[in-house]
Amino acid sequence: MEIASKALPASGNEATFGAAPAPAKLTRSFETIGGAHKLVKKIACLGSGFVGGPTSAVIAYKSDVNVTVVDINPVRISAWQSDNLPIYEPGLYEIVRAVRDGAFPSQQDTTKGSCASRNNSSPNHQARLSFSTDIDHAIMNADLIFVCVNTPTKAHGIGKGSAADLDFVEVATRNIARVATQDKIVVEKSTVPCRTAQAIREILAANAQPGVHFDVLSNPEFLAEGTAVRDLLHPDRIIIGSMPTPAGRRAAASLAEIYGHWVPQERIITMNLWSSELSKLAANAMLAQRISSVNALSAICEATGADVDEVSYACGLDSRIGSQMLKAGPGFGGSCFQKDIFNIVYLSESLHLYDIADYWRAIINMNEHQKQRFTRRIISCLYNNLTGKKLAVLGFAFKKDTSDTRESPAITLVNNFVTERARVAIYDPRVPEQQILRELVDIGGDHDMLRRQVSICKSAYAACEAADAVVVVTEWDEFSNRTTDTTPHEPEIRRPLRSLNVNINDLPYPASRPADQETQSPSQAGIDDTASFRIPRKNAGIVIKDPRNGEIKTFTSQRMSSGSSTLQSPPSYAAVGQDVSRENVHVLQKLAVAHPAGTLDSSQPYMPPRTLPSAYLTATATSAPEAPKPPTERFQAATGPEKPSSATRLDWGRIAAGMRKPMFVFDGRNILDHGKLKALGFRVEAIGKRGGHPVEHDA
């Protein structure tokens, strides 16, 4: 075993591991784990799903570790070895090709649609990622083993419908103990109930070969499907749970060293095993709670005439709440939220905390209620009769930018429509036909009935042809008819900031502030005393007071550059951990200082908000300006291989021409400009907005 005796390394030009993290983070200081520890050169990842595949690819891309991903499913492994990856995530194909094949696609290679420019003469990336079905061989050669197997909700026995099924975890653990002939670090990465690590430790100890020692760590993933690559490259935090023993801390140091290649030290948090396990469940439960809360408000909005987008926008301006996960819709889906809440429910009931279990179960109940409420609204608007009518369902994935359909609201909605004897035409740009049919059968649908009543279409136009109604279930960009630089619930006065590609929701001044009002005080704005800002009139641009000489300068949207170099926050503020609001303000301040003429470089083309800046895949420096990266580091993740841009958005006029009258559109995600649709003759109903037809209100 090779030993690393030095302190954990610095991550390039980012923060070094020399300084201890702030005590407020309640984490063990790195001095306690930064001593001699095992140097990890090879990793085996058991499981090639939505967690194992992307995680392994990014680790191989950002570190010098060789990673082998193994799975018992040869079809899935073959897909990972091909150009047709088994899962879709923006930017994943480029990274997999770089570290699997040792080369980037050429600029002309658009089979998987990277929108970045590439230098064909750039040096190849070293191939450090492989996929295999030889599980024993991978375990034998690995220094560290990620357990990324599936942990579905139990479908039988005690805990049916709520407890996690840990069969795959136990099988993987026993296999590790059977095969390993040297000491290993076993990392529990699957989402599991609290104290599962203890069971893993006991199984490994009881079945280990003589003289073999295992250290067990918990390293939960916090990936959002659709942004998994970005979440891996720029994580909010890396949680590492270990036993509070010297051996446990050394194992934690070995894993921290891997992440330290690209993650700043202050974001690598160490804690005990049980806290680490529970933190994953708690995070997902709280996020789901926010969605169910805003969905509950959407029912009140529909009954009162309030607009749920405006209500959630107003709430999101409160710094204690924030704007994330406050979008009303037909309900949350995916593999995590429901399963993790059920885990907490089962854990609470096991501990005889029944009131606590009822509290968390209510979030699931509200989610199911939202799906049924949306169904009832559709039926009510279509004259309480769906028999024989054709409904076009746009979107089947549980969210955009992913092919995952697990627990998607579309499954329940389509099943309800079929039960009402409607004819359903489904289109999703990423989900294969067999996957859609499998989900509908698994929920209890009759296969013969589905074949008669459900059709899977190759385009949205085919799905909408002769339809009585269109139901938008997934918020794919191509379905939207909105302009790329505005959102209807944003006050007009804030919209010019879109041209900077800056998240205007994070700026610290109020939306309704008059243009000629006196400048907000620094203490009110939450910034230092060196800068002053006031809000411009519509289309007037951004007015900034130069902190050096007090000169007022105006930057209009026509003059603003979309180049990522003007969007990176000053390193000094990132280093001291300032929040995003303050960083964005100082971006504008930096522009004022750097461009005394009041004009910016306009050589870069305008970049719509959905296009990802190059900083998407490049970490921001925290101590000094980052040195120029080689060409292989400067590629950009695509927003979608075949259909990423507004040029491929639906022509709703064409859809209107082919539909039956009256034409209904049910906007389940509030991504449509209702005024434009009404001008085409559509009757529009949306979640959280009062419609033109009587709505069934809940008692």
Side-chain angles (χ1 to χ4, degrees), residues 81 184 469:
Q81 293 170 336
K184 308 287 182 184

Side-chain angles (χ1 to χ4, degrees), residues 19-36:
K25 290 187 177 179
L26 301 178
T27 178
R28 302 171 188 161
S29 66
F30 270 78
E31 282 74 8
T32 64
I33 67 170

Side-chain angles (χ1 to χ4, degrees), residues 43 92 166 211 243 261 289 306 324 337 445 495 573 626 650:
I43 292 176
L92 179 60
L166 300 179
M243 294 298 292
H261 283 84
Q289 180 187 51
Q324 298 298 312
F337 283 1
R495 295 183 189 175
Y573 289 98
E626 189 171 6
L650 294 186

Side-chain angles (χ1 to χ4, degrees), residues 45-49 51-52 70-72 135 146-152 165-173 176 187-192 200 339 406:
C45 178
L46 309 188
S48 62
V51 175
V70 293
D71 202 297
I72 60 174
I135 300 174
F146 280 126
V147 178
C148 301
V149 298
N150 193 20
T151 55
D165 188 342
L166 300 179
D167 180 55
F168 294 129
V169 173
E170 182 173 346
V171 169
T173 302
I176 293 171
V187 182
E188 167 196 82
K189 207 160 184 64
S190 300
T191 302
V192 293
I200 293 175
K339 179 183 71 173
R406 289 174 291 182

Side-chain angles (χ1 to χ4, degrees), residues 480-554:
S480 177
N481 65 337
R482 288 180 179 171
T483 56
T484 58
D485 59 346
T486 60
T487 311
H489 60 269
E490 292 176 350
E492 288 285 340
I493 202 167
R494 297 170 68 86
R495 295 183 189 175
L497 292 178
R498 284 291 187 192
S499 57
L500 259 185
N501 223 14
V502 172
N503 184 359
I504 64 175
N505 295 328
D506 290 329
L507 294 177
Y509 37 67
S512 58
R513 189 176 184 81
D516 54 355
Q517 187 171 333
E518 288 298 320
T519 301
Q520 194 175 12
S521 68
S523 59
Q524 291 172 326
I527 59 177
D528 62 16
D529 291 335
T530 64
S532 298
F533 297 87
R534 60 187 178 90
I535 304 300
R537 297 184 186 275
K538 179 181 177 181
N539 297 328
I542 303 175
V543 180
I544 307 177
K545 185 177 181 180
D546 192 322
R548 299 172 304 174
N549 52 26
E551 180 182 355
I552 299 296
K553 297 167 185 173
T554 301

Side-chain angles (χ1 to χ4, degrees), residues 396 407 410-412 414-416 418-419 421 435-451 453-454:
F396 200 83
E407 306 296 341
I411 301 172
T412 300
V414 171
N415 185 65
N416 290 343
V418 171
T419 302
R421 299 299 187 266
Q435 184 175 340
I436 294 176
L437 293 175
R438 183 173 61 249
E439 291 284 10
L440 295 175
V441 170
D442 289 347
I443 201 177
D446 180 82
H447 190 273
D448 293 335
M449 181 181 293
L450 291 173
R451 283 292 185 184
Q453 294 180 235
V454 177

